[in-house]
Amino acid sequence: MIGCGTVGSGVLDLLQRREEDLTRLLGRPIRVVRIVVRNPSKPRHHLASLISSGVEISGEPRRVTRDPGVELVVELAGGRDEPKTWILDAIEHGRDVVTANKATLAFHGAELFAQARAKRRCIYYEASVAAAIPIIEMLSNGLVANQMTSLSAILNGTCNYILTRMEFANLDYSAALAEAQAKGFAEADPTLDVSGGDSAHKLALLAGIVTRSHIPVESIYTEGLERITREDMEFVRQFNYSIKMLAIAKRNDQGSWELRVHPTLIPRSEILAQVRDEFNAVYMKGDAVGPMLIYGKGAGGLPTASSVVADIVRAAKGERGTPNAHMGVTPALVPIERIELRNYIRMTVLDVPGVLGRITSFFGMRHISISSIHQPEARVNQPVPVVLLTHKTSEHVVAEALRDLETARLLTRAPTRIRIEE
Amino acid sequence: MIGCGTVGSGVLDLLQRREEDLTRLLGRPIRVVRIVVRNPSKPRHHLASLISSGVEISGEPRRVTRDPGVELVVELAGGRDEPKTWILDAIEHGRDVVTANKATLAFHGAELFAQARAKRRCIYYEASVAAAIPIIEMLSNGLVANQMTSLSAILNGTCNYILTRMEFANLDYSAALAEAQAKGFAEADPTLDVSGGDSAHKLALLAGIVTRSHIPVESIYTEGLERITREDMEFVRQFNYSIKMLAIAKRNDQGSWELRVHPTLIPRSEILAQVRDEFNAVYMKGDAVGPMLIYGKGAGGLPTASSVVADIVRAAKGERGTPNAHMGVTPALVPIERIELRNYIRMTVLDVPGVLGRITSFFGMRHISISSIHQPEARVNQPVPVVLLTHKTSEHVVAEALRDLETARLLTRAPTRIRIEE
């Protein structure tokens, strides 16, 4: 095992709790041989019994990746580029690898999976997406008979926690973020999460399985949730929508895929809108199964460790059913500009006579069809929000209109646009 | 393949749609060799291309179970006792078996799995529970590192369709059943579904995996939904509950299990309450993962075929990770009388002065604590419903009270009791 933080400790805990069961299931025990940590001289009381039973604590990854007594390398160190060299080294030396490292796989997956194929080794990575939820197994095995046609997922617990608190506790973004940080659901530097970057890493992995190919992270359109305000939440609630940070993969009739991560309005009656707090969920459709949803904890030591141990068991059974075999070319992707979506647009205008007419004709001229418009009462000459929902409109048309709005002197502040999915 | 109805045809359809993908995945094609049907001389146009490519249509199951050219027997015939002999015969002759037959497995599973173990063969049965939902794989593999502590599942699409229509279209039981029959969601004789029997078969299989043992169907307490009325739905809605036909397995701190199938009040805010129409869902808790939910189509040709094909692929890959290995003794079960639950009790009384007092003291004397009571206004001396919700009460106390009520001359009709889960 390389890395022994929250997840690693969870794995050791579960291996111990389930020792008898797993030994009976596999016909042999799972034995931890070595643990590599950054600072091996730091006292680790929770490892005391392992150390006294002969487990070596080392600072040198090669003690694990190259030891002939090691059958399986479990990489739980985190980071992006360094783990790549360990995984490659392990494969090079004939070991299978279990990893929970979405960033490494999303950025170096093409190289790692190709190397695993060449050496007939296997990389197991269930824990890298949505922690406890066995979504990778499900897409790779359970739904193998399906052409998946779409996938809409809540893959980042930090974002979902923030949005839940904004929606139900009326907090603004920064208060919700501060609360998430205090509760351990957000990092001190939350950028990777709130920017959608982490969701994009995970979507790249899931879309890779679904399209049986390699998806570069850079090909996923990604937008963060930092600009959503309490005012947006209030409007959205009024219209019976929720805002969720969704990672979306959709296949069109030509077999091309749109891949995107952004805050999204979804009807409150949708089952995804019921996914609250730090939970994750994946809603998907296949040509045989129709719609399906899976929901569970998307972070945390034990939930993640549950999937790591499942992978260890799979490896011990010699099951090689991962989609690695497919990882090859990138499928045709639909650029974001070519997608048509409904939109929520919130603008702030000076409440002067005729302003609503000027707004609607601004959008009318650009062939953006408005499905509804809302303006609360306000005092004349005071800034007032105007919210409109559009019918399906090409992204490039909306983008152009939003750019034009900035120079049109209609608004007192930059507008907020959030995409809608039904 | 034995049996070629809706599911069998779906399997042939999917094998054809995915031929290229599956061949690449497995490194060899999946080939249908023989199909056994009850009436082989009946013209089957949809099989024409298979027949012309050399697939034999036969009326004799042994043509499949004993043919040396057959590697895998796929049993999709339905029925309970007859398929047992085919499955045994297939195992006897060294073949693995894929089946969607919950009744056969629930009643003859102990014998079938023991025989499979003895002959080192494997029975794959993903499609036997909740059709499209890969719940068996999930419990056997994805959550293998967990001690599961509870499972509450909607496993019968017929029941869920009927309850959904009663809840949202205000239909009474018989109208909802008639609609379900017209739409093909219920059989002409719906007894097995509405009595809870079918759910109990499926719960026996799931609880068998979770407890790693054999669960006899007879050990599951089962109650049907036939007695639920439109009036119950109205009350329940008023109290912010939904009624769902739940299959429940719960582990207590001593490691004993309660297993039961019955109509259940659950808060409308629960995610299971969002599961509508013919959909199935399993909500479960494990010591590592916490709560988890999976949701999808629980019936239908293609959804079921999706799981059958997943099993065929698993068998072709030689993955033997089913829980068969565990099937042995029955775990300690908690008899229904020893369980404590909250209850909804609807009674009909003559609206005479003092009747509410007599009702409440009737329950008070029996140490049944009432958490709320409701009686709509009515004309004096007319029958009026009285509904009460109890705090947690022992089943045997409630059962005795319900018996006593019948002789106490307080009610004009037999009471309705529905259990509550939060």
Side-chain angles (χ1 to χ4, degrees), chain B residues 259-275:
Chain B
L259 302 172
R260 47 198 165 92
V261 171
H262 51 71
T264 315
L265 262 65
I266 56 171
R268 289 193 108 178
S269 56
E270 293 273 332
I271 202 159
L272 270 184
Q274 317 295 326
V275 178

Side-chain angles (χ1 to χ4, degrees), chain A residues 258-301:
Chain A
E258 35 181 283
L259 302 172
R260 47 198 165 90
V261 171
H262 51 71
T264 314
L265 262 65
I266 56 172
R268 289 192 109 179
S269 57
E270 294 272 333
I271 203 159
L272 270 183
Q274 317 295 326
V275 178
R276 309 230 163 109
D277 300 318
E278 77 278 21
F279 279 82
N280 283 9
V282 183
Y283 180 86
M284 58 213 126
K285 285 185 183 165
D287 65 345
V289 293
M292 186 163 284
L293 176 112
I294 184 162
Y295 160 97
K297 284 197 178 162

Side-chain angles (χ1 to χ4, degrees), chain B residues 71-75 83-92 94-102 104-106 108-128 136-137 140-141 205 209 307-308 310-312 314-315 318-327:
Chain B
E71 284 180 64
L72 181 70
V73 174
V74 179
E75 187 277 307
K84 179 189 121 177
T85 63
W86 306 330
I87 296 173
L88 279 178
D89 200 52
I91 291 169
E92 209 62 57
R95 266 107 219 170
D96 290 330
V97 175
V98 171
T99 179
N101 199 320
K102 65 221 156 230
T104 303
L105 290 177
H108 303 298
E111 184 182 350
L112 291 171
F113 288 122
Q115 190 63 8
R117 260 198 314 281
K119 296 281 175 182
R120 299 181 165 276
R121 290 294 99 201
C122 202
I123 300 172
Y124 302 87
Y125 56 105
E126 184 64 76
S128 65
I136 289 181
E137 170 181 79
S140 315
N141 302 323
L205 295 177
I209 300 170
S307 286
V308 172
D311 273 350
I312 294 174
R314 234 169 248 133
E319 291 182 3
R320 319 201 74 64
T322 66
N324 304 3
H326 294 292
M327 294 275 171

Side-chain angles (χ1 to χ4, degrees), chain A residues 109-129:
Chain A
E111 184 181 349
L112 291 170
F113 288 122
Q115 191 62 9
R117 260 198 315 280
K119 295 282 176 181
R120 300 183 163 274
R121 290 293 101 201
C122 201
I123 300 172
Y124 301 86
Y125 57 106
E126 183 64 76
S128 65
V129 179

Side-chain angles (χ1 to χ4, degrees), chain A residues 12-159:
Chain A
L12 297 175
D13 180 3
L14 290 182
L15 287 177
Q16 198 171 24
R17 287 194 209 175
R18 296 291 106 76
E19 191 176 359
E20 199 186 316
D21 261 4
L22 295 181
T23 303
R24 195 169 37 185
L25 177 70
L26 297 171
R28 56 174 177 156
I30 296 172
R31 218 158 52 79
V32 181
V33 182
R34 288 188 212 301
I35 300 174
V36 173
V37 292
R38 227 167 263 288
N39 179 2
S41 55
K42 187 172 134 190
R44 289 166 207 268
H45 299 298
H46 67 294
L47 301 183
S49 74
L50 282 173
I51 294 170
S52 71
S53 71
V55 174
E56 183 192 300
I57 310 291
S58 159
E60 173 51 71
R62 291 181 187 180
R63 292 288 299 151
V64 166
T65 56
R66 299 184 175 188
D67 187 305
V70 168
E71 286 178 64
L72 180 71
V73 173
V74 179
E75 187 278 307
L76 304 170
R80 199 181 93 179
D81 300 328
E82 223 182 353
K84 177 188 121 176
T85 63
W86 305 331
I87 296 174
L88 279 178
D89 201 52
I91 291 169
E92 209 62 57
H93 290 82
R95 266 106 218 169
D96 291 330
V97 176
V98 171
T99 178
N101 199 318
K102 66 221 153 230
T104 304
L105 289 178
F107 280 96
H108 304 298
E111 184 181 349
L112 291 170
F113 288 122
Q115 191 62 9
R117 260 198 315 280
K119 295 282 176 181
R120 300 183 163 274
R121 290 293 101 201
C122 201
I123 300 172
Y124 301 86
Y125 57 106
E126 183 64 76
S128 65
V129 179
I133 302 178
I135 182 66
I136 289 182
E137 170 182 79
M138 199 168 150
L139 291 174
S140 314
N141 302 324
L143 301 180
V144 70
N146 288 262
Q147 169 65 61
M148 300 308 291
T149 52
S150 76
L151 191 147
S152 299
I154 295 171
L155 295 176
N156 185 277
T158 308
C159 290

Side-chain angles (χ1 to χ4, degrees), chain B residues 273-338:
Chain B
Q274 317 295 326
V275 178
R276 308 230 164 110
D277 300 318
E278 78 278 20
F279 279 82
N280 281 194
V282 183
Y283 181 86
M284 58 213 127
K285 285 185 181 164
D287 65 344
V289 293
M292 186 163 284
L293 176 110
I294 184 163
Y295 159 98
K297 284 198 178 161
L302 282 176
T304 312
S306 167
S307 286
V308 172
V309 173
D311 273 350
I312 294 174
V313 170
R314 234 169 248 133
K317 288 200 267 185
E319 291 182 3
R320 319 201 74 64
T322 66
N324 304 3
H326 294 292
M327 294 275 171
V329 283
T330 306
L333 299 179
V334 186
I336 185 84
E337 301 76 34
R338 296 237 323 272

